């Protein structure tokens, strides 16, 4: 059984070996750039870890794992362009280093490269892996579309928001785990249990991300606090603030959302004060714990020896331990 750090090291070595040799080289420079920025490599790690639950040799899962990581970075490249983001992992984004047209075209090439890598899956598993990946890719596009539509809506429900983050964030984690299980020849029911583990841990992770954006510590969270409040993002907390607020509190929230010019610190403090009054931190924590516990129940349902599950429990703890 591989240790988590051994799996990460294996993935990094394989990523450095990736070569994009088709001309023109300028098409692939942005791809090499974004892959060189690093990141947690959680998705390809989950592929190998899930495979390793059932097989000691995970080599057959490496190419699909790399394909998933290239695809993930493709989504980041296009997300940065759509959001007009200046930074990714504290480095300039691709469209800032080059331009928007280059980012679009190189992103398209990344998607094709992801399919090429996944296409190198062993023949007996190829169709199942491709079907899973293609369905997941379409779901992620749907999640991104919902996210964009929510920007101009004032009536987003909690259920709609949960579905959006399921599609935008959780399904790729779930795909990685099920992909690894398939490559490890896991029983179908166990591959599905790992998929549901991924969905639940993904929902818990994204809800915690929302929570830490308001109540986190910049030094440990790695982002400035209050960004979601400043851009009026429809998060779990804002949606529930409108659901639970008094008329006076709703009027204040609407006033802040409608302002075009404001002092950022003042807006963050005012909206956070309403969240405090409505005990939304506690409500969020309850929801996070619910999904986290459901994720652990999915793991505990597996026939795998408990000590072999420790690596996935360790990674789950790491994902959730970006503390306030």
């Amino acid at each position: 059984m591989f240790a988590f750090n051994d799996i990460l090291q294996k993935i990094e070595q394989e990523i450095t070996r990736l070569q994009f040799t088709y001309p023109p080289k300028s098409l692939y420079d942005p791809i090499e750039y974004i892959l060189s920025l690093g990141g947690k490599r959680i998705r390809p790690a989950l592929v190998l870890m899930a495979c390793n639950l059932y097989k000691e040799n995970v080599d057959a899962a490496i190419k699909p794992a790399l394909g998933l990581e290239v695809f993930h970075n493709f989504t980041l490249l296009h997300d940065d362009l759509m959001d007009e983001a200046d930074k990714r992992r504290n480095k300039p984004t691709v469209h800032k280093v080059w331009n928007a047209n280059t980012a679009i075209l190189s992103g398209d090439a990344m998607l094709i490269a992801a399919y090429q890598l996944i296409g190198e899956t062993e023949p007996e598993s190829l169709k199942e892996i491709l079907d899973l990946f293609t369905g997941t890719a379409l779901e992620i596009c749907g999640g991104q579309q919902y996210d964009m539509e929510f920007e101009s809506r004032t009536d987003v429900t909690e259920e709609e928001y949960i579905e959006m983050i399921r599609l935008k964030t959780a399904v790729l984690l779930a795909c990685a785990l099920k992909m690894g299980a398939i490559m490890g020849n896991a029983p179908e029911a166990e591959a599905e249990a790992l998929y549901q583990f991924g969905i639940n841990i993904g929902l818990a992770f994204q809800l915690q991300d929302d929570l830490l954006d308001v109540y986190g510590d910049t030094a440990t969270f790695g982002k400035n606090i209050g960004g979601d409040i400043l851009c009026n993002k429809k998060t779990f907390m804002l949606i529930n603030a409108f659901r639970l607020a008094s008329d006076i509190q709703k009027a204040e929230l609407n006033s802040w959302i409608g302002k075009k010019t404001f002092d950022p610190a003042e807006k963050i403090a005012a909206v956070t004060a309403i969240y405090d009054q409505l005990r939304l931190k506690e409500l969020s924590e309850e929801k996070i714990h619910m999904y986290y516990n459901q994720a652990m129940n999915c793991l505990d349902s597996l026939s795998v020896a408990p000590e072999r599950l420790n690596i996935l429990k360790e990674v789950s703890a790491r994902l959730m331990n970006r503390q306030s």
Side-chain angles (χ1 to χ4, degrees), residues 11-12 15-16 18 20 28-42 69-70 72-78 80-81 85-98 110:
I11 289 164
E12 286 298 340
I15 287 173
T16 60
L18 286 176
F20 303 95
Y28 301 98
D29 286 342
I31 300 176
E32 293 174 351
Y33 173 77
I34 193 168
L35 289 173
S36 75
L37 297 182
K40 299 182 184 71
R41 311 297 193 202
I42 288 294
E69 180 67 3
V70 171
H72 172 59
N73 280 272
F74 148 73
T75 66
L76 299 181
L77 190 157
H78 276 192
D80 288 340
L81 179 61
D86 294 339
K87 297 281 187 181
R88 166 69 61 184
R89 297 170 186 145
N90 292 318
K91 298 287 185 181
T93 47
V94 167
H95 64 275
K96 287 295 181 182
V97 176
W98 285 272
M110 282 188 88

Side-chain angles (χ1 to χ4, degrees), residues 23-82:
K25 185 176 183 301
S26 56
L27 176 64
Y28 301 98
D29 286 342
I31 300 176
E32 293 174 351
Y33 173 77
I34 193 168
L35 289 173
S36 75
L37 297 182
K40 299 182 184 71
R41 311 297 193 202
I42 288 294
R43 291 149 193 87
L46 289 175
V47 177
L48 298 192
M49 283 187 284
C51 181
N52 201 204
L53 290 177
Y54 302 94
K55 271 186 179 179
E56 293 303 327
N57 189 335
V58 299
D59 288 350
I62 288 173
K63 284 299 174 65
L66 292 174
L68 218 57
E69 180 67 3
V70 171
F71 172 77
H72 172 59
N73 280 272
F74 148 73
T75 66
L76 299 181
L77 190 157
H78 276 192
D79 280 357
D80 288 340
L81 179 61
M82 294 168 73

